Amino acid sequence: MKIGRVTAVDLLVPVKPLHLAKTRLRGAWPARDERAHRELALALVRDTVAAATAAAGVRRVLAICSDPHAVRVLRRDGTDVMPDEPDAGLNPALRHGAQVLGARDPRATVGALQSDLPALRSGELDAALAAFAGCGAARAFCPDRVGTGTTLLLARPGVDLDPRFGYGSAAAHRGSGARPLEGAWPTLR
């Protein structure tokens, strides 16, 4: 599959242990139902993975997850899952995942997509991938709606993904040389 000069896009989707995911939403539950909270967090992931998988420009989605329930459900959905290694946080897991994908196919563009984009439309993800294909940058990212976070990070074949997710990730990615992708993609932001 070819989008511009990008021939294949393999995406990593990091998934936190469900009991730690989306903690800001805990107060939204009348009884603070732990099971309901975990299922909501998993539903966000499943929606995001389904949209990414359906995008024409995405060849492979690899979830990084060690939560046993999430792993079972994602695998049942047909998603490829690898354990969270080295179990040292988001950026080390993404670096390891990028190495795994690069070893599988050194010609692939590798990316990281946040797992909590439940309204993501495949067409908007494809538009962002096309923008990356045409921008000429070795690495690029899509900032979130407010412009401080990152929802998508991409690196061309043979280029280190160099993830810098966390507080202020948009500035950190920009500072590391990644180019911001511009476009009207509200479901990706």
Side-chain angles (χ1 to χ4, degrees):
M1 173 173 315
K2 188 167 187 156
I3 293 181
R5 291 182 306 274
V6 175
T7 56
V9 178
D10 293 344
L11 288 178
L12 299 162
V13 178
V15 181
K16 282 184 181 181
L18 297 177
H19 70 282
L20 299 175
K22 306 314 297 172
T23 55
R24 290 174 295 194
L25 298 177
R26 284 196 195 282
W29 298 104
R32 301 202 172 152
D33 182 341
E34 247 339 279
R35 183 177 174 280
H37 178 83
R38 287 190 305 271
E39 291 306 315
L40 172 63
L42 183 55
L44 297 176
V45 171
R46 292 175 78 195
D47 286 351
T48 301
V49 168
T53 301
V58 175
R59 178 177 65 169
R60 174 182 295 129
V61 174
L62 176 60
I64 300 173
C65 181
S66 291
D67 183 288
H69 177 61
V71 168
R72 277 191 306 276
V73 171
L74 290 169
R75 284 190 174 144
R76 186 180 66 218
D77 289 348
T79 304
D80 192 12
V81 181
M82 68 174 276
D84 180 357
E85 293 177 1
D87 193 21
L90 176 60
N91 292 316
L94 289 172
R95 280 191 287 278
H96 177 71
Q99 290 171 347
V100 168
L101 290 177
R104 288 182 183 177
D105 184 356
R107 298 166 297 145
T109 293
V110 174
L113 178 69
Q114 291 298 331
S115 65
D116 58 352
L117 302 168
L120 179 62
R121 291 188 180 146
S122 300
E124 290 185 15
L125 179 56
D126 279 329
L129 298 177
F132 178 59
C135 80
R139 291 172 52 248
F141 69 97
C142 182
D144 65 10
R145 186 179 52 78
V146 295
T148 58
T150 302
T151 60
L152 175 68
L153 175 65
L154 297 162
R156 294 199 188 271
V159 175
D160 186 12
L161 185 63
D162 193 16
R164 297 174 183 226
F165 288 91
Y167 182 78
S169 64
H173 285 125
R174 185 179 290 109
S176 72
R179 181 179 296 173
L181 294 172
E182 303 297 329
W185 314 307
T187 69
L188 183 57
R189 295 188 190 280

